[in-house]
Amino acid sequence: MLAKGAKIALLEGMSSTSTVVTTDLFQYIQGLGPGDDALLQGLKAAAEKAGIPAIWISPEQGHLMQVLLRLAGARRVVEVGTLAGYSALWMARALPAGGTLDTLELSPVHAAFARDWIGRSEVADRVRVHEGPAADQLPAFAAASADAFFIDADKKSYPRYFEEALRILRPGGLLLVDNAFAFGQILDPAATDPDVAAIRRFNQLVSQDSRVDGTIVAIGDGLWVGVKRDAPAR
Ligand code: SAH
Ligand code: DHB
Ligand code: MG
């Protein structure tokens, strides 16, 4: 337990009163959130039975993404990496009537599963699952046509999806990118997974790109939350 008001050095020559999120504190946050309803619980159980990997976002992250989508007034959302449709359901539920979520998925097995489970939800009419490699499909989306864009597919392609996101998002649009902590290995010098190296490079790239103003939120496996800046006046 940290003493009340304990200070944690964050940067050389600077200190701050950030509170370390301990397991207890995290469980407290979880207990205050909405968690998974019966449909999301059923989806997860069926996905595990079907051998689909349990690499969906956490409920806390889903809830945060809903709040952010509502703040952004999002009506048009694009997702790269559908898996079982879990994050798609969280996001679709934050859209107003007439809103749309286009979600892109490489695996025919994942796409079919997601279509099935999204079809059982009250937001089925808002969601379109597009099957195939995302890089082949994104060029078909019009420039400045989306209010929010969530990247959560193959990590080596994140820079490419990032470029497409900056084209497809409207100025002021919301950019979300999963796994900024690289499965918890971002700071592990012994990490050998090429996806970890890809995410390290990606995090540097985002932090240095003036077209987006973003920060990593310490939720789930690290979530980039950014806003596409207006084009500079000329
Ligand atoms: N967003 C989901 C989890 C996505 S897991 C959730 O939180 O519920 C990553 C998904 O990206 C997997 O289903 C994988 O098949 C898919 N994927 C991998 N490479 C892809 C590609 N090139 N194009 C589209 N999807 C891809
Ligand atoms: C993996 C991918 C993800 O998007 C994620 O959130 C967790 C794990 C993976 O490829 O193992
Ligand atoms: Mg992910």
Side-chain angles (χ1 to χ4, degrees), residues 55 152 155 178-179 183:
I55 54 174
D152 191 18
K155 310 313 168 198
D178 197 38
N179 303 108
F183 332 111

Side-chain angles (χ1 to χ4, degrees), residues 88-140:
L89 278 169
W90 275 101
M91 291 194 287
R93 286 173 161 175
L95 304 181
T100 57
L101 170 69
D102 286 286
T103 181
L104 281 48
E105 174 54 53
L106 176 65
S107 155
V109 172
H110 296 176
F113 182 97
R115 281 197 189 105
D116 176 5
W117 279 84
I118 292 164
R120 304 179 195 203
S121 78
E122 75 290 1
V123 290
D125 61 336
R126 300 180 193 168
V127 184
R128 299 182 284 239
V129 180
H130 304 260
E131 186 184 312
D136 292 354
Q137 306 187 66
L138 287 169

Side-chain angles (χ1 to χ4, degrees), residues 14-163:
M14 251 188 235
S15 72
S16 165
T17 52
S18 295
T19 297
V20 171
V21 181
T22 56
T23 305
D24 285 352
L25 208 38
F26 182 68
Q27 284 172 354
Y28 172 76
I29 298 170
Q30 278 182 317
L32 294 175
D36 290 334
D37 70 355
L39 182 79
L40 293 173
Q41 287 172 21
L43 176 155
K44 284 179 172 177
E48 295 201 37
K49 261 194 191 157
I52 294 175
I55 54 174
W56 37 76
I57 59 166
S58 70
E60 303 73 51
Q61 181 174 335
H63 187 216
L64 173 66
M65 287 165 55
Q66 287 192 330
V67 171
L68 293 170
L69 289 172
R70 291 200 169 105
L71 277 170
R75 300 181 58 83
R76 304 268 174 264
V77 181
V78 179
E79 173 180 65
V80 182
T82 314
L83 190 68
Y86 180 82
S87 55
L89 278 169
W90 275 101
M91 291 194 287
R93 286 173 161 175
L95 304 181
T100 57
L101 170 69
D102 286 286
T103 181
L104 281 48
E105 174 54 53
L106 176 65
S107 155
V109 172
H110 296 176
F113 182 97
R115 281 197 189 105
D116 176 5
W117 279 84
I118 292 164
R120 304 179 195 203
S121 78
E122 75 290 1
V123 290
D125 61 336
R126 300 180 193 168
V127 184
R128 299 182 284 239
V129 180
H130 304 260
E131 186 184 312
D136 292 354
Q137 306 187 66
L138 287 169
F141 287 80
S145 62
D147 304 302
F149 198 107
F150 179 44
I151 300 175
D152 191 18
D154 51 317
K155 310 313 168 198
K156 67 173 184 324
S157 304
Y158 269 26
R160 185 161 185 178
Y161 302 149
F162 177 69
E163 281 303 320

